Amino acid sequence: MGSSPQVVDWNSDGDADLISGDRNGYFNVWIWDDTGLVAYTQYKKTDSTPMDVGTNSQPTVVDWNGDGKKDLLLGCENGQVLFWQNVGGDTWPMFQSAETVEAGGGPIYQYRVNPVVFDLDCDGVNDLICGADAGYVLFYRNTGTNSNPTLAAAETLKSPRGDPVRASGTYVYGSRCWFGFWDADSVPDILLSAYDGYVELFRGLWPVGVEEGKPAPARLALSASPNPTNGSSVTIRLTLDARRQTLLQIHDLTGRVVRTLCASSMERGAYSVVWDGRDDSGVEVNSGVYFCRLSGSGRATSERIVVSH
């Protein structure tokens, strides 16, 4: 099976580009310019040889080491997740060699692994989530930091009833997952697919232990105005019920972090933060739907922001 394509701004020019792995293990990039998509298939390393992980490569773009540049995590058929550090810049990422990502004290090994990076436990630190060959979704909790990830051993994601989250169908090997805010609330949802080709939505629910049918207690509050915005600055107002290690970020529809506005310990109270409509590279974001996400000490909430130029 091949790789799912992803839309990213690969060269940080404000336009959407396309990346993908493939069945043969290469990493491929298509850059949008004025004439359309320009192909850079079998993307080259600094020594001009292709980036090759064997078979069935699956990429995800993330700043894995906290240096402010796009890095790559590549899954592959042999079960490893490989970290490729960007030794160039965000206008044209460059790579030399890969490191094997470890979890629970040893290398990750999940046949046909498909990695995704997302703060699933709402603690302000990116976790690793992987689709695996048997159709399950595996959660590797980051007990370190965003600049120095330390991953715990795999946990199988489960529903509130305790049933494993798993792709259905006859051929469920090679499951692939996506995390984001499908229904625009503050709880992450999952899109899951496998070899059969079906895409299934698993809606996120309030954390286990909250009485069914009732919302979680209001501990964080968030609002944004003007909303929609025509590209001008947006004032984001947040309220904390207690002293928290707080993370305030702008995400796109895929869950990718566009801009980090605040990452610090904050006392109880009300605050205002201004977002100027630009990403972490200083580039004005495109028109579309974004989510302002406030998280801290295991709690999170989000606000939908519409940008229209």
Side-chain angles (χ1 to χ4, degrees):
M1 61 189 297
S3 170
S4 303
Q6 301 171 37
V7 176
V8 300
D9 183 4
W10 182 250
N11 58 350
S12 298
D13 64 352
D15 292 328
D17 309 308
L18 191 67
I19 67 167
S20 178
D22 61 34
R23 182 181 291 275
N24 295 318
Y26 296 111
F27 172 64
N28 309 291
V29 177
W30 289 264
I31 298 294
W32 178 264
D33 67 9
D34 293 336
T35 61
L37 288 171
V38 179
Y40 294 85
T41 53
Q42 297 186 15
Y43 198 82
K44 303 297 192 297
K45 299 183 291 185
T46 54
D47 63 3
S48 298
T49 60
M51 299 175 67
D52 183 5
V53 298
T55 50
N56 286 330
S57 56
Q58 177 69 28
T60 190
V61 177
V62 63
D63 177 12
W64 187 244
N65 59 353
D67 63 358
K69 298 186 293 185
K70 302 182 192 77
D71 303 310
L72 272 177
L73 294 184
L74 277 171
C76 49
E77 183 160 331
N78 73 7
Q80 294 178 321
V81 177
L82 301 174
F83 165 48
W84 295 78
Q85 181 178 349
N86 181 1
V87 297
D90 264 7
T91 56
W92 197 255
M94 301 174 67
F95 308 93
Q96 289 178 340
S97 58
E99 303 174 23
T100 302
V101 177
E102 296 191 351
I108 291 174
Y109 181 81
Q110 296 294 336
Y111 185 58
R112 287 194 174 120
V113 65
N114 296 278
V116 175
V117 176
F118 192 82
D119 179 14
L120 188 59
D121 56 3
C122 301
D123 64 352
V125 180
N126 286 327
D127 306 300
L128 183 67
I129 306 102
C130 295
D133 188 51
Y136 298 102
V137 181
L138 303 177
F139 171 52
Y140 298 87
R141 189 186 308 274
N142 184 0
T143 59
T145 64
N146 285 330
S147 58
N148 187 23
T150 301
L151 301 178
E155 305 173 42
T156 301
L157 284 190
K158 296 181 179 180
S159 74
R161 296 191 303 269
D163 303 320
V165 173
R166 190 187 187 201
S168 61
T170 304
Y171 303 103
V172 296
Y173 48 88
S175 62
R176 293 172 179 160
C177 52
W178 171 91
F179 288 79
F181 305 101
W182 183 262
D183 50 9
D185 63 12
S186 61
V187 185
D189 308 300
I190 307 173
L191 291 180
L192 184 62
S193 66
Y195 193 85
D196 277 346
Y198 300 108
V199 178
E200 300 171 85
L201 170 64
F202 293 80
R203 292 188 183 274
L205 301 175
W206 293 110
V208 176
V210 176
E211 187 176 349
E212 185 176 358
K214 294 185 179 181
R219 296 183 178 180
L220 306 176
L222 187 66
S223 65
S225 64
N227 189 16
T229 173
N230 61 3
S232 60
S233 296
V234 179
T235 299
I236 299 165
R237 294 179 175 82
L238 53 145
T239 303
L240 307 179
D241 66 328
R243 188 176 188 273
R244 293 179 180 273
Q245 187 64 37
T246 303
L247 184 65
L248 183 66
Q249 294 177 314
I250 305 296
H251 295 252
D252 63 16
L253 278 172
T254 70
R256 182 180 65 90
V257 176
V258 173
R259 179 76 175 270
T260 297
L261 297 170
C262 177
S264 63
S265 179
M266 300 174 66
E267 300 293 335
R268 175 181 179 178
Y271 300 86
S272 293
V273 178
V274 175
W275 178 40
D276 60 5
R278 297 180 181 273
D279 63 16
D280 279 326
S281 301
V283 178
E284 188 176 60
V285 302
N286 295 324
S287 296
V289 177
Y290 297 85
F291 292 95
C292 179
R293 188 173 189 231
L294 172 65
S295 60
S297 304
R299 302 294 303 174
T301 188
S302 66
E303 178 75 6
R304 184 173 181 265
I305 299 177
V306 178
V307 176
S308 178
H309 295 295

